[in-house]
Amino acid sequence: MKRTNLEIPSCNDCRQVHHTVFKHLTQDELDTLNFEKGCNHYKRGNIIFHEGNKGNGVYCIYEGILKLYKTGIDGRKQIIRFAQKGSLIGFRSVLSNESACTTAEALNDISLCFIPAKTFVALVQNNRNFSMNLIQLSCKELGIANRFILDMAQKNVRERLAEVLLLLNETFGKDENNILKISLTRVEIANIVGTATESVIRLLSEFKKDKLIELNGRNIKILREKELERISDVY
Amino acid sequence: MKRTNLEIPSCNDCRQVHHTVFKHLTQDELDTLNFEKGCNHYKRGNIIFHEGNKGNGVYCIYEGILKLYKTGIDGRKQIIRFAQKGSLIGFRSVLSNESACTTAEALNDISLCFIPAKTFVALVQNNRNFSMNLIQLSCKELGIANRFILDMAQKNVRERLAEVLLLLNETFGKDENNILKISLTRVEIANIVGTATESVIRLLSEFKKDKLIELNGRNIKILREKELERISDVY
DNA sequence: CGTGTGATTGACGCCTGTCAACGTCTGTGG
DNA sequence: CCACAGACGTTGACAGGCGTCAATCACACG
């Protein structure tokens, strides 16, 4: 599944590094990081790490998109969030000494830099700015998760679907044809919204009928963003 | 609403302090904390801080129980978690520089030590163990929140209610008569489970009929814990 | 061309939210 | 001391949202 890449991109050349938690590392620290990290490539469907496994390091996304999901008793998946270029994943379990609470799976061809837990924790402990950034990252994710709980508890499927479309738009943007850059199966959309696939299909058709979106296979074009906002916020 | 107490308990005498994130402070740091902190008392229903407000400090619970909830568009509340003796609340917004994502409200008579943001952040920045503990705390809460999302997405009301009863039991324990120590209104239970009050009432009666619990007003006695576990886990 | 995966549509029925009415209890004011 | 208001709890009726099952279609791939 997982293939080690011979050409490991250097953090010094990484265009993302200044937008990540690593932005405050010293040159020395960055050099160490460069030396100790690895880089792996994955294809759609490959698993980066499994829920329940101990995390022996963290991953910084160099290129591509992945999903983080939890699996219920009956095997149904609930996508917790997506991550893309520049995002750090796997730090929660490494820092809390717990096993991973989600599974990470590639949504397209991705390249990840792997940072061993030891290296990562050393950075956290020795660089005050870095650890502060990490605390902030984790606190922000906590805020987002709490918001998600509220939505799941109080919004119906139609409202949540509208919200998810807007989220995808905001997170991944659209191409030159105004089509959402991220391409998901109906099952995957259902797994974010937290509903049955059939419900997603029916509601998407409704949105299409109401001229809120255009559908073309997995391509989704948002026509009336404001209206979707109205729906997702319950006016 | 809020009355400042003349007798501020000292952290040195606090029986909780060794079970909190403050356990790794030096004596000097603890002295500073003692000097700069305040102590406030609240009665049931009093608000400690409001969702959306900037947090100007964090609170350490000296005595009592409180609930943290978010409010939906229609005013309906969703309890995110409870906090009791020894818990730290309000740190998320202080550390992430965001406004509070929940409202904190007293469930009974409580005493809180208030630590100004400046004091708190200084500790985070200067004490490596302390900041590491905080990261862990925040990461653990994130794990719990993710689990909550899964539950809300995939479990039905009956399953969630069983789970909440077990959670309350685990968190607050029972008294000498095996009655849950925490006393909540039906509305509050509904606000944790994420359902209508009437549904909670109906399902509690069902549990009672099935001899899983005993009800006496707000007093709940768990009779068959294993069976509740079975229900909450979907067998 | 057969096979498999994903998308779609229809039928059906249960779960659960909503509305309304009523019972219960407590505290307050006359 | 009683009447009353108000908060909370309970029960019944009802309908609509949404999950499930099954059948069919579309499309890619070996």
Side-chain angles (χ1 to χ4, degrees), chain A residues 184-202:
Chain A
L184 299 171
T185 65
R186 301 295 192 253
V187 172
E188 282 168 335
I189 297 177
N191 288 345
I192 323 169
V193 176
T195 187
T197 315
E198 294 93 327
S199 296
V200 166
I201 290 170
R202 276 183 252 266

Side-chain angles (χ1 to χ4, degrees), chain B residues 65-69 79 81-83 103-107 188:
Chain B
I65 300 175
L66 54 81
K67 59 181 174 184
L68 291 152
Y69 60 82
I79 295 180
R81 65 183 185 99
F82 295 98
T103 299
E105 182 182 325
L107 277 180
E188 282 168 335

Side-chain angles (χ1 to χ4, degrees), chain B residues 70-205:
Chain B
K70 290 181 77 73
T71 307
I73 305 269
D74 54 356
R76 240 171 81 207
K77 294 165 183 174
Q78 175 63 40
I79 295 180
I80 301 295
R81 65 183 185 99
F82 295 98
Q84 61 179 326
K85 203 187 280 188
S87 291
L88 192 71
I89 65 166
F91 70 90
R92 203 207 61 86
S93 61
V94 166
L95 292 176
S96 68
N97 276 317
E98 296 173 332
S99 46
C101 74
T102 55
T103 299
E105 182 182 325
L107 277 180
N108 50 21
D109 291 357
I110 64 182
S111 311
L112 301 180
C113 293
F114 174 79
I115 303 156
K118 210 179 128 198
T119 310
F120 184 71
V121 170
L123 286 174
V124 176
Q125 291 187 323
N126 294 324
N127 185 321
R128 191 182 296 178
N129 285 326
F130 183 62
S131 68
M132 206 62 194
N133 268 310
L134 265 180
I135 290 188
Q136 291 190 357
L137 180 59
S138 141
C139 284
K140 277 181 188 173
E141 284 191 17
L142 186 54
I144 293 170
N146 286 341
R147 170 68 193 276
F148 202 170
I149 292 170
L150 178 71
D151 284 347
M152 295 302 294
Q154 299 196 353
K155 290 186 179 175
N156 63 28
V157 177
R158 182 187 172 80
E159 291 156 5
R160 297 207 302 272
L161 177 59
E163 189 170 13
V164 162
L165 292 178
L166 294 170
L167 171 77
L168 294 177
N169 183 38
E170 196 185 322
T171 312
F172 300 104
K174 23 193 183 236
D175 66 12
E176 61 281 3
N177 297 317
N178 264 327
I179 291 170
L180 288 191
K181 274 189 189 161
I182 190 172
S183 160
L184 298 171
T185 67
R186 300 296 192 254
V187 172
E188 282 168 335
I189 296 176
N191 288 345
I192 322 170
V193 175
T195 187
T197 315
E198 294 92 328
S199 296
V200 166
I201 291 170
R202 275 184 253 268
L203 288 167
L204 280 179
S205 315

Side-chain angles (χ1 to χ4, degrees), chain B residues 12-61:
Chain B
N12 286 310
D13 306 332
C14 178
R15 271 172 303 158
Q16 300 305 321
V17 78
H18 296 299
H19 306 292
T20 71
V21 284
F22 299 115
K23 62 187 164 199
H24 288 127
L25 295 191
T26 64
Q27 188 57 50
D28 267 8
E29 287 168 333
L30 211 53
D31 289 343
T32 309
L33 191 62
N34 247 325
F35 180 73
E36 310 216 338
K37 82 176 185 188
C39 186
N40 296 311
H41 295 264
Y42 301 79
K43 290 191 167 301
R44 175 171 174 85
N46 289 169
I47 304 290
I48 293 103
F49 56 79
H50 263 103
E51 181 177 357
N53 286 169
K54 283 280 172 206
N56 45 14
V58 304
Y59 300 83
C60 184
I61 306 180

Side-chain angles (χ1 to χ4, degrees), chain A residues 66-112:
Chain A
L66 54 81
K67 60 181 174 184
L68 292 153
Y69 61 81
K70 288 180 79 72
T71 308
I73 304 270
D74 55 356
R76 244 171 78 209
K77 294 166 183 175
Q78 175 62 40
I79 295 180
I80 300 295
R81 66 185 183 97
F82 294 99
Q84 60 180 329
K85 203 188 282 188
S87 291
L88 192 71
I89 64 166
F91 69 90
R92 202 206 63 83
S93 62
V94 166
L95 292 177
S96 68
N97 277 317
E98 296 174 332
S99 46
C101 74
T102 55
T103 299
E105 181 182 324
L107 277 179
N108 51 20
D109 291 356
I110 64 182
S111 311
L112 303 179

